[in-house]
Amino acid sequence: MTKLHAALVTVIIALVAQPSHLCVAQTPAEGAAAAPAAHTPADIAYAPLEKKLRAVNTSLLNKRGVEPSDKPILTALAAEVDAFSKQFPDDERGPAAQLMIAEWLGQNEQIDGLYAKLLPKNPGNQQLRIDFAQRLKSANRYTEAIELLSGQTFDDEHVFQAMRLLSDCLFADNRFTESVDALKSLSGEVLAANPALRAQIDQDLKTRQEYIDFWAAEQAIRQAEETANDLPRVVLA
């Protein structure tokens, strides 16, 4: 059984539920009311797809994953969504739905391209950006994740998750000082509002600073050994 990324699916549900003439709003809770009545040809064409997507999403969440018997249904639904995207190439609900199905089916090669389509059209969707960065981090693509998160402004709801993720990626990319700076950028107000978050950040800062100190000491030892030039050497005849 393929496990579901519930948070990501919820974000995509928010995207696919938007009428074509509306901007993307904040992510609603799972089970939120469906989109307003259809008005455009794209809305009319998408309405039955949205109903199917929500039904499948609920079913898979209840089962906590995708079973082999689900794949024919998902493949048929993917064909319907692809047809919608071809008919309405400028409607972001098409790639949003394709991304949802690709996640369900584990079609990793398609997912990056779909994110690349969605993010420029939904620059204010902070959770979508964070989810993509998390995906990149999981694939050890730290530099790409750093680029995705750096220089962005996140609201209080998302800034902790974003900065901790950015710090993790910087640390993994051997950019230790910048990793610490990312955590220190969190405002006192954000941390004061949640003591549990403050405790996590304090622990992360302690661990990262200890590593920076260790690495500095290690570099000093290596430099001293290189300068002394007195290490034993093995000469092969």
Side-chain angles (χ1 to χ4, degrees):
M1 177 182 289
T2 302
K3 292 183 179 179
L4 296 176
H5 302 284
L8 174 59
V9 170
T10 302
V11 170
I12 300 173
I13 280 286
L15 292 174
V16 301
Q18 299 304 316
S20 61
H21 59 287
L22 295 179
C23 296
V24 174
Q26 292 294 319
T27 305
E30 183 64 34
H39 298 290
T40 71
D43 294 335
I44 295 171
Y46 195 79
L49 287 178
E50 181 189 342
K51 185 176 180 180
K52 291 180 182 180
L53 285 164
R54 285 181 175 273
V56 170
N57 180 59
T58 299
S59 173
L60 296 180
L61 286 176
N62 288 338
K63 292 190 290 186
R64 298 183 181 276
V66 178
E67 298 176 347
S69 60
D70 297 314
K71 293 189 176 181
I73 297 172
L74 295 176
T75 301
L77 183 56
E80 293 185 58
V81 171
D82 290 345
F84 174 87
S85 292
K86 289 179 181 178
Q87 185 177 1
F88 304 100
D90 296 327
D91 194 307
E92 64 263 32
R93 290 173 298 184
Q98 289 172 320
L99 176 56
M100 176 185 285
I101 296 172
E103 285 283 350
W104 284 335
L105 291 173
Q107 296 171 330
N108 294 321
E109 293 181 2
Q110 296 185 28
I111 292 172
D112 287 1
L114 292 168
Y115 269 115
K117 284 184 179 180
L118 285 169
L119 278 173
K121 293 182 179 180
N122 301 276
N125 193 313
Q126 298 174 36
Q127 192 61 53
L128 188 69
R129 182 176 297 276
I130 291 170
D131 287 335
F132 189 20
Q134 181 63 60
R135 174 179 175 77
L136 294 171
K137 176 188 174 238
S138 298
N140 298 330
R141 295 162 62 181
Y142 304 118
T143 301
E144 293 173 76
I146 291 167
E147 292 175 353
L148 197 63
L149 296 172
S150 296
Q152 299 295 320
T153 300
F154 295 91
D155 58 28
D156 288 352
E157 181 182 353
H158 297 91
V159 68
F160 169 78
Q161 185 182 8
M163 290 303 99
R164 197 175 189 206
L165 178 57
L166 176 59
S167 178
D168 287 346
C169 292
L170 288 165
F171 191 80
D173 205 36
N174 299 323
R175 295 161 65 175
F176 306 127
T177 301
E178 292 173 81
S179 173
V180 169
D181 291 342
L183 294 179
K184 287 184 176 180
S185 71
L186 290 166
S187 71
E189 293 180 359
V190 171
L191 296 177
N194 193 323
L197 296 186
R198 176 182 285 278
Q200 291 180 42
I201 293 300
D202 288 345
Q203 182 59 47
D204 287 347
L205 282 170
K206 182 176 181 293
T207 301
R208 281 156 172 65
Q209 190 59 57
E210 287 175 349
Y211 194 90
I212 290 173
D213 295 341
F214 169 81
W215 183 244
E218 177 68 17
Q219 291 295 91
I221 292 171
R222 293 183 185 183
Q223 183 62 44
E225 291 174 345
E226 184 177 340
T227 301
N229 196 29
D230 60 356
L231 292 176
R233 290 178 172 80
V234 175
V235 179
L236 299 178

